[in-house]
Amino acid sequence: MNLFADIRSLVIDALNAMTSDGVLPEGLSLDNVTVEPPRDPGHGDMATNAAMVLAKPAKMKPRDIADALAAKLVADDRIDIAEVAGPGFLNLRLAAGVWTGLVQGILDDDRYGRSAMGAGQKVNVEYVSANPTGPLHVGHTRGAVFGDALASLLEYAGHAVTREYYINDGGAQVDVLARSVYLRYLEAHGKQVAFEDGTYPGDYLVPVGQALKDKVGDAYVDKGEQFWLADIREFATEKMLDLIREDLAMLGVKMDVFFSEKSLYGTGRIEGALKALQDRGLIYEGVLEPPKGKTPEDWEPREQTLFRSTEHGDDVDRPVKKSDGNWTYFAPDIAYHYDKVERGFDALIDIFGADHGGYVKRMKAAVSALSDGRVPLDVKLTQLVKLYKNGEPFKMSKRSGNFVTLRDVVEQVGSDVTRFVMLTRKNDAPLDFDFDKVLEQSRDNPVFYVQYAHARVRSVLRKAEAQGITLTNTPKIEDEAEVAVAKKLAEWPRLVEIAARTHEPHRIAFYLYELASDFHALWNRGNDRPELRFLQDGNNDSSAAKIALPRAVAVVISSGLGILGVTPAEEMR
């Protein structure tokens, strides 16, 4: 059930009838005809741009089209008024029975808002993908919440989603981890050690060093690096992944796939991906021009193996192999994304930190080349999070050594608050996370405000049960405040599809806040006008009908919070 889609279908049918009647010429495309909420709610319940977008191809005045369309639309029982405004916009007011039917439909089908838009399309969402060298920090937290909510949103809209974590275990940073664990291992044997530059000093490696001692005893003590480096790399990486999985679990995030970068090396997979590009004429030997401004790490004034990425939208061609024969950082990433393409995904989404902005075009170029333009790649960047407590920047974590961890944040405010707050800004906008404000019980705190709306509905239902009220799915909607809530409920399926299409789960959080605001306004109106209260003294039938609307509100809030990974509140404490 999607009221906006239903009314658009009505508009399209009316336009087709106008074509049959000779009012409109044959062959007009109706793809750009929309039905949306009007910018000013005072103008009506919905508005269509049909006359404006068809005027030029039809060689007619917009107002003439709008007048003819209005006459067609008012013949339908669902349309009370079709009013032409300005040069040709058409504002629609719906019949009162539409809102009653909408609320009843929501209560009859708790899948309200779910969409088949995705049509089972296979989408890979890769997120977090932090180096396995320590606990997740607050920046990873935002990426984890955004990625997880986006994956849930796409599933809700009918896609088949795979959640994936790319383990960066193929680079030099894992050697640094192994050396750092070795120092903690020596500490566990009572030896004095010094953490110098190029090692990780966080306390989180203390238990890893002890675990290594428990496993191998003194086998690595006083031994050279060549004796233990490979073994400790593998041991430490697994321990860090266990820690990362625990951190993600605290946030309610569970991955379907953990893909190891290391698995690409020595297996021919990098070579295979580059051969696929070579077969397309996109690999060559050459020397890049020196870049303007800051010189990137992968630029050399010598001949290298280059990917002709400019043929797929990049600014410059990119090196994949250095002049010394070693792979660049880009080469295994190409192979990894080729693996995704080969696994049969219809679309790929990567979620990167803000510092990876320069990587976007080359990665899109690679996927475009490897899939012959068939598989789109959308890269979402998550901006930084600034933490505050008591009006001051939140101090660094001793446990991590030099940053605030995901665990620090969740232990302070809980998973639900953390997740919701992380989605109160668009992913590419900076986010201030104030530990005091996110726990505040006020309208200014969107987490509280939305949860309070759901808790209020649950409170009404508990009282109704205590009074022996038998619920009905047929609502009683009379007052303008009740209609305002019903209108907001009508927007839910449309909002879901827009958010899924644009890959913007923050729209769900914004919508829930607006719905909660309309619901609280109705609740407060009942304080002054007893006939608007959900529980009508001495009239169980009227109460049951009044309760139907808030029950529908709870269905939608619960669905929306489910997409965000937040548990709806039964009561506020």
Side-chain angles (χ1 to χ4, degrees):
M1 183 174 62
N2 183 332
L3 188 57
F4 280 87
D6 291 345
I7 299 302
R8 183 181 183 275
S9 294
L10 175 63
V11 170
I12 298 299
D13 289 345
L15 292 170
N16 286 328
M18 289 165 61
T19 301
S20 299
D21 294 344
V23 177
L24 291 174
E26 298 279 351
L28 292 180
S29 171
L30 305 181
D31 291 345
N32 293 326
V33 172
T34 62
V35 172
E36 301 175 331
R39 292 181 180 178
D40 183 348
H43 291 164
D45 303 324
M46 295 183 181
T48 178
N49 66 348
M52 301 299 292
V53 299
L54 296 178
K56 187 174 181 179
K59 297 180 181 179
M60 295 173 63
K61 294 178 181 178
R63 199 168 182 94
D64 290 343
I65 297 175
D67 286 336
L69 178 58
K72 290 281 187 186
L73 294 178
V74 292
D76 191 279
D77 291 343
R78 291 167 289 181
I79 308 297
D80 247 5
I81 299 173
E83 186 175 48
V84 183
F89 286 104
L90 189 57
N91 294 320
L92 308 176
R93 295 187 186 276
L94 305 187
V98 170
W99 308 119
T100 302
L102 172 80
V103 173
Q104 183 167 349
I106 294 172
L107 296 175
D108 288 342
D109 179 10
D110 61 5
R111 291 177 56 84
Y112 175 68
R114 288 187 178 271
S115 172
M117 180 187 79
Q121 183 187 50
K122 292 177 62 179
V123 181
N124 181 289
V125 184
E126 182 216 326
Y127 55 109
V128 190
S129 297
N131 290 340
T133 54
L136 300 178
H137 60 61
V138 68
H140 299 135
T141 306
R142 189 175 190 186
V145 170
F146 175 78
D148 206 50
L150 176 55
S152 295
L153 170 62
L154 291 172
E155 286 176 334
Y156 196 83
H159 298 81
V161 179
T162 296
R163 295 163 162 85
E164 187 149 325
Y165 187 117
Y166 182 51
I167 308 166
N168 291 278
D169 56 355
Q173 76 278 356
V174 186
D175 288 342
V176 176
L177 172 67
R179 294 183 186 108
S180 305
V181 168
Y182 183 69
L183 292 176
R184 292 300 188 186
Y185 165 76
L186 294 179
E187 269 189 339
H189 281 282
K191 294 185 177 294
Q192 292 292 321
V193 299
F195 285 88
E196 301 172 351
D197 289 344
T199 57
Y200 302 127
D203 292 345
Y204 64 91
L205 291 180
V206 172
V208 182
Q210 181 61 51
L212 182 60
K213 176 189 173 186
D214 294 342
K215 180 182 179 183
V216 303
D218 62 359
Y220 299 150
V221 175
D222 298 327
K223 293 291 177 65
E225 185 176 287
Q226 72 279 5
F227 183 81
W228 50 259
L229 183 62
D231 290 344
I232 295 183
R233 266 181 64 110
E234 184 175 349
F235 179 84
T237 300
E238 281 304 312
K239 289 296 181 184
M240 288 301 97
L241 283 173
D242 289 343
L243 180 62
I244 286 169
R245 287 187 181 96
E246 289 175 10
D247 287 349
L248 291 174
M250 286 188 71
L251 202 56
V253 175
K254 186 177 181 181
M255 295 291 177
D256 299 314
V257 175
F258 281 84
F259 189 103
S260 166
E261 177 191 351
K262 189 180 175 184
S263 70
L264 299 171
Y265 290 88
T267 58
R269 297 167 85 175
I270 297 177
E271 293 83 352
L274 296 183
K275 185 177 185 306
L277 293 176
Q278 189 169 32
D279 290 345
R280 291 165 170 82
L282 296 173
I283 296 293
Y284 69 101
E285 301 297 320
V287 179
L288 290 176
E289 290 291 322
K292 297 177 182 178
K294 186 178 178 182
T295 303
E297 293 180 6
D298 56 5
W299 181 77
E300 294 182 25
R302 293 183 291 274
E303 189 174 84
Q304 304 176 82
T305 304
L306 303 172
F307 163 44
R308 210 180 298 275
S309 56
T310 49
E311 291 196 6
H312 287 267
D314 201 357
D315 298 324
V316 295
D317 290 344
R318 304 290 179 175
V320 292
K321 184 183 283 189
K322 301 176 186 178
S323 57
D324 64 5
N326 289 318
W327 301 119
T328 64
Y329 288 119
F330 188 32
D333 290 339
I334 291 174
Y336 172 47
H337 284 76
Y338 187 45
D339 184 87
K340 292 182 185 180
V341 171
E342 290 290 282
R343 278 186 269 158
F345 289 106
D346 300 304
L348 307 180
I349 300 172
D350 287 353
I351 295 162
F352 294 162
D355 56 341
H356 283 71
Y359 219 59
V360 175
K361 284 188 176 180
R362 72 184 71 180
M363 209 65 258
K364 284 190 169 186
V367 172
S368 174
L370 290 165
S371 68
D372 296 318
R374 182 184 62 81
V375 179
L377 167 65
D378 186 17
V379 180
K380 294 292 187 182
L381 302 178
T382 54
Q383 273 290 349
L384 300 176
V385 179
K386 294 180 181 178
L387 299 174
Y388 296 90
K389 192 178 176 89
N390 300 321
E392 300 290 336
F394 191 59
K395 299 300 180 184
M396 294 177 179
S397 165
K398 293 179 182 177
R399 184 166 42 212
S400 67
N402 60 355
F403 53 78
V404 180
T405 67
L406 178 156
R407 193 174 295 253
D408 290 325
V409 176
V410 175
E411 286 178 349
Q412 287 277 329
V413 300
S415 173
D416 287 341
V417 170
T418 301
R419 290 185 67 116
F420 198 107
V421 172
M422 290 287 177
L423 293 162
T424 54
R425 292 288 182 277
K426 194 170 184 288
N427 59 283
D428 57 4
L431 175 71
D432 290 347
F433 192 108
D434 189 312
F435 285 99
D436 300 314
K437 289 184 179 179
V438 300
L439 295 175
E440 201 175 76
Q441 295 196 352
S442 75
R443 176 174 183 161
D444 294 333
N445 178 5
V447 191
F448 167 78
Y449 206 54
V450 172
Q451 290 282 35
Y452 190 32
H454 190 271
R456 273 182 154 174
V457 177
R458 299 304 300 166
S459 173
V460 168
L461 290 175
R462 286 192 293 271
K463 290 176 182 177
E465 184 179 10
Q467 294 175 25
I469 295 173
T470 301
L471 300 179
T472 176
N473 288 356
T474 304
K476 192 174 185 180
I477 298 176
E478 300 167 317
D479 186 80
E480 61 181 349
E482 294 170 323
V483 173
V485 173
K487 285 183 183 179
K488 183 56 67 175
L489 292 172
E491 293 179 24
W492 175 235
R494 175 178 177 272
L495 185 281
V496 166
E497 293 193 351
I498 292 172
R501 192 176 296 114
T502 57
H503 300 166
E504 294 180 339
H506 73 278
R507 290 176 181 264
I508 304 296
F510 287 9
Y511 168 85
L512 293 178
Y513 182 81
E514 292 169 359
L515 175 60
S517 182
D518 288 343
F519 175 74
H520 289 308
L522 173 59
W523 182 287
N524 294 335
R525 200 160 178 164
N527 292 334
D528 301 323
R529 294 177 53 188
E531 71 273 16
L532 291 181
R533 294 172 187 169
F534 302 127
L535 295 174
Q536 299 285 308
D537 289 340
N539 191 335
N540 283 7
D541 289 343
S542 180
S543 294
K546 285 288 185 184
I547 292 170
L549 179 60
R551 284 170 56 213
V553 169
V555 168
V556 172
I557 288 180
S558 180
S559 295
L561 290 177
I563 291 171
L564 304 185
V566 176
T567 305
E570 292 294 308
E571 57 185 339
M572 303 303 288
R573 297 177 181 176

